[in-house]
Amino acid sequence: MAETTRPMRRQDIRRENEKAILLAAEKVFAEAGFGGATMQLIADLAGLPKANLHYYFATKEELYRSVVQNIFEIWLQAANCFDAARGPVDGISAYIDAKMEISRRHPDGSKVWASEVMHGAPVLQDYMESTLREWTDGRVEIIGRWIEEGKMDPVDPRHLLYMLWATTQHYADFGHQIETLNGGKSLSDRQWREAKENIKRVILTGIGAQPV
């Protein structure tokens, strides 16, 4: 007997449409910026009527905020490794691995965030002053504890975080430059592994991280 396919439920359809819209919006905002992006361009790329787009996101600003918050939420999940780690070797290594994978798989989202910050965060300043600040303070506290326990050198936790962000997000924000210097080709799986290992070696050695 032929296998029957269960119709998609309404919430499944909504989830798939929102995913398609966010992916399309990431690309359009990354390439055109907030000012140059239009809801029509995003709808066309998502393969949906413009009316459907407005059903899910009433305004361009609402969609833009969703795109930026989405990439930040993905970054937050990557940082969970800090909370569970016994020390900087485990925690920072796992964080670098996770952030590099995000740069590989969500380069457009990272570019949108970078552009927003470089323009003074006109849309998301409130988000940066609340969610980002709270998250950063929590990671600073963890790094400070590792320092007090003698598991790493006494470096400034905030500057360490800035260095981690700059290094890992470079592979997304400046992906075209990296591809150009790689002979016009995207990094291979092997090259991504080598990049992760090199970053971890430089960072962990530089902060004198001690295995637990």
Side-chain angles (χ1 to χ4, degrees):
M1 189 171 76
E3 184 179 336
T4 58
T5 302
R6 188 182 66 177
M8 291 184 70
R9 294 178 299 177
R10 181 174 298 178
Q11 57 264 41
D12 293 331
I13 295 173
R14 181 182 183 90
R15 190 180 304 112
E16 288 300 313
N17 284 345
E18 287 182 345
K19 181 179 179 181
I21 291 168
L22 286 173
L23 286 174
E26 274 188 5
K27 186 171 183 60
V28 173
F29 284 130
E31 294 179 351
F34 180 80
T38 67
M39 295 293 266
Q40 186 65 62
L41 278 173
I42 295 168
D44 291 343
L45 188 58
L48 295 169
K50 185 179 176 182
N52 284 32
L53 195 68
H54 283 289
Y55 172 76
Y56 292 104
F57 300 95
T59 65
K60 184 171 74 168
E61 180 172 322
E62 180 185 341
L63 177 52
Y64 179 80
R65 289 185 68 93
S66 294
V67 166
V68 181
Q69 289 174 358
N70 182 59
I71 187 65
F72 188 68
E73 290 299 326
I74 293 173
W75 283 336
L76 284 182
Q77 292 172 16
N80 287 340
C81 53
F82 268 97
D83 302 324
R86 295 179 299 168
V89 173
D90 292 340
I92 293 175
S93 292
Y95 186 56
I96 289 171
D97 283 338
K99 286 288 268 73
M100 287 290 283
E101 278 303 304
I102 295 168
S103 287
R104 185 179 188 181
R105 302 181 190 284
H106 297 275
D108 290 330
S110 181
K111 290 172 187 172
V112 174
W113 175 273
S115 179
E116 168 73 10
V117 175
M118 286 190 293
H119 286 86
V123 177
L124 289 165
Q125 183 63 28
D126 60 330
Y127 194 75
M128 295 182 68
E129 290 179 353
S130 54
T131 306
L132 178 60
R133 179 174 293 168
E134 181 181 347
W135 179 91
T136 302
D137 289 345
R139 305 296 79 71
V140 165
E141 183 177 339
I142 291 172
I143 295 170
R145 186 170 68 246
W146 291 339
I147 292 172
E148 291 176 359
E149 294 171 350
K151 296 175 180 176
M152 57 179 282
D153 293 342
V155 302
D156 187 302
R158 293 184 186 276
H159 291 301
L160 174 58
L161 287 171
Y162 302 156
M163 188 178 299
L164 289 169
W165 298 342
T167 303
T168 55
Q169 288 163 228
H170 176 90
Y171 287 82
D173 303 340
F174 290 86
H176 178 71
Q177 177 174 276
I178 289 175
E179 288 186 9
T180 299
L181 297 176
N182 194 45
K185 301 177 183 178
S186 299
L187 296 182
S188 65
D189 291 343
R190 176 185 59 80
Q191 288 175 312
W192 276 102
R193 288 194 300 270
E194 291 175 349
K196 292 177 187 177
E197 292 307 313
N198 274 281
I199 293 170
K200 286 186 282 189
R201 186 180 306 115
V202 170
I203 297 290
L204 294 175
T205 301
I207 63 174
Q210 301 295 325
V212 177

